[in-house]
Amino acid sequence: MKPLRHILTLGDLDVEELKTILKIAEELKADFKRGIRPKRLDGKVLGLIFEKMSLRTRVSFEAGMAHLGGGSMLLEERHIGLGSRESIPDVSRVLSSMVDCISFRAKKHETVCEFAKYSSVPVINALTDKAHPCQALADMMTIKEEFGTFEDVKIAWIGDSNNVAASLVEASAMLGCQIAVSSPKGHEFSDEEIRALTAQRQPGFKLARIEDPSEAVRGARVVYTDVWVSMGQEAEEKERLEKFRPYQVNAELMGLARTEAIFMHCLPARRGLEVTDEVIDSPKSRVVEEAANRMHAQKGLLVWLLEN
Ligand code: CP
Ligand code: NVA
């Protein structure tokens, strides 16, 4: 029996484990490209709880499990009534008695943490308000494919210091990338958040918080942005759209990064707000490859967690 592990943030892994998962993902992707789908999780079942909308996360987990010879099932919040029809501990104990792994997208990070406490199988954070570790796995895989290394790679994060940014900072620290985070006042990471996210920092890691986006992208090989209004922040939309306007990734801003710089976005994108069509549809954009890597990266994670 494998020891029980929950992946609620990347910090639940050590650096070697993170590298191993990326390596398995790379191998599985190479197999997949050659038309080989090893049934490494034959008969295993993944339960997916989603309290928020999703395209990439749901499809990548479900398709990934099918490729690996396992099965999956979607449990929408409105069907199971988590915390309303039934308590979180009861749902967790019962569900984990029937499936081998649970991937959970929750409105609140604390809900996933509480759920994990009562689960007898691994729980994977499929996005919360605080973190999106599966996204960061795919992002680092995409960066490695592009540049062949994490050394001397500078990422410029432009926009909100949100869940996706938090996991990207954590992954950058663990893999020794440089990252400049450029957010408007009031939307930056606190010192305490940075300390927690960079606890496992490796040589080569550097972090800068730079308010001015044109300064942040200088020397960057990756320019990354995300929506200005995340799921659950709809009430702040008007104020946020105003505040974040100077943080749009457009051709002018991309032009200040290194010549070989690529554009990344976790998607879904609000075109014309955080990124222009000109950038997201340009040859520099890697958004489709990045989304496709969600499946390969999560297959790596699932095999690492569940293979006998
Ligand atoms: N990037 C991402 O998590 O996409 P979905 O919200 O569509 O799953
Ligand atoms: N920051 C976004 C990411 C969506 C994948 C959100 O939480 O809505």
Side-chain angles (χ1 to χ4, degrees):
M1 270 281 275
K2 284 196 163 185
L4 178 59
R5 297 288 294 270
H6 301 303
I7 310 300
L8 309 185
T9 68
L10 287 183
D12 290 322
L13 298 166
D14 67 29
V15 171
E16 284 317 307
E17 290 170 336
L18 172 58
K19 288 183 180 167
T20 303
I21 289 165
L22 290 175
K23 191 157 178 290
I24 302 171
E26 232 172 75
E27 288 161 7
L28 286 168
K29 182 172 179 178
D31 282 343
F32 184 75
K33 295 248 160 188
R34 297 203 311 268
I36 305 165
R37 300 179 184 188
K39 304 287 178 253
R40 293 172 70 169
L41 297 183
D42 188 26
K44 304 255 180 192
V45 178
L46 173 73
L48 297 144
I49 305 177
F50 278 75
E51 291 185 338
K52 293 179 180 179
M53 292 170 97
S54 167
L55 170 68
R56 279 145 290 270
T57 308
R58 178 192 171 183
V59 176
S60 53
F61 270 121
E62 296 217 41
M65 277 307 280
H67 295 161
L68 293 163
S72 59
M73 75 188 61
L74 177 68
L75 301 151
E76 284 184 64
E77 207 282 320
R78 69 197 161 101
H79 292 139
I80 57 174
L82 189 71
S84 53
R85 182 171 185 260
E86 204 164 354
S87 77
I88 293 173
D90 282 353
V91 175
S92 180
R93 287 186 196 109
V94 171
L95 184 58
S96 64
S97 74
M98 300 184 206
V99 301
D100 300 286
C101 186
I102 297 160
S103 155
F104 190 170
R105 171 166 289 195
K107 291 181 184 151
K108 289 200 183 116
H109 192 75
E110 295 71 29
T111 308
V112 180
C113 297
E114 190 193 352
F115 188 92
K117 266 200 263 171
Y118 300 95
S119 172
S120 55
V121 300
V123 175
I124 302 173
N125 177 355
L127 179 146
T128 64
D129 53 338
K130 293 278 177 343
H132 198 358
C134 295
Q135 181 67 49
L137 286 179
D139 295 343
M140 298 321 273
M141 191 173 173
T142 309
I143 290 171
K144 179 87 182 296
E145 282 172 352
E146 187 69 30
F147 301 110
T149 176
F150 296 118
E151 237 174 80
D152 291 327
V153 174
K154 176 183 166 184
I155 304 167
W157 174 273
I158 309 297
D160 196 12
S161 294
N162 63 13
N163 45 3
V164 175
S167 293
L168 192 68
V169 167
E170 196 159 35
S172 301
M174 292 172 74
L175 296 170
C177 272
Q178 301 162 41
I179 185 162
V181 181
S182 187
S183 304
K185 276 208 170 67
H187 296 275
E188 320 94 325
F189 288 121
S190 65
D191 292 347
E192 199 187 329
E193 284 168 325
I194 292 291
R195 258 195 303 281
L197 294 171
T198 61
Q200 296 194 69
R201 69 172 74 87
Q202 295 302 299
F205 171 70
K206 267 192 216 148
L207 176 123
R209 278 168 287 178
I210 303 172
E211 197 181 336
D212 178 359
S214 46
E215 204 188 308
V217 297
R218 284 191 203 281
R221 297 168 95 182
V222 177
V223 179
Y224 199 133
T225 191
D226 183 15
V227 289
W228 295 337
V229 185
S230 283
M231 293 181 276
Q233 296 174 333
E234 293 76 11
E236 299 166 36
E237 168 143 356
K238 197 165 170 282
E239 180 204 328
R240 283 178 164 264
L241 295 192
E242 276 293 303
K243 244 180 154 172
F244 282 89
R245 198 173 302 149
Y247 290 79
Q248 182 184 71
V249 179
N250 49 35
E252 194 189 333
L253 192 71
M254 278 305 289
L256 300 174
R258 276 171 65 159
T259 335
E260 75 271 27
I262 58 168
F263 171 74
M264 293 177 69
H265 190 309
C266 56
L267 302 180
R270 286 184 72 180
R271 289 164 171 257
L273 291 179
E274 76 272 7
V275 60
T276 59
D277 285 341
E278 195 184 4
V279 169
I280 199 169
D281 295 329
S282 75
K284 286 179 169 288
S285 176
R286 294 293 177 275
V287 297
V288 177
E289 293 81 352
E290 183 186 357
N293 277 341
R294 290 292 308 277
M295 183 178 77
H296 304 297
Q298 286 151 220
K299 281 168 77 174
L301 176 60
L302 290 165
V303 164
W304 182 79
L305 277 172
L306 304 178
E307 194 174 41
N308 290 329

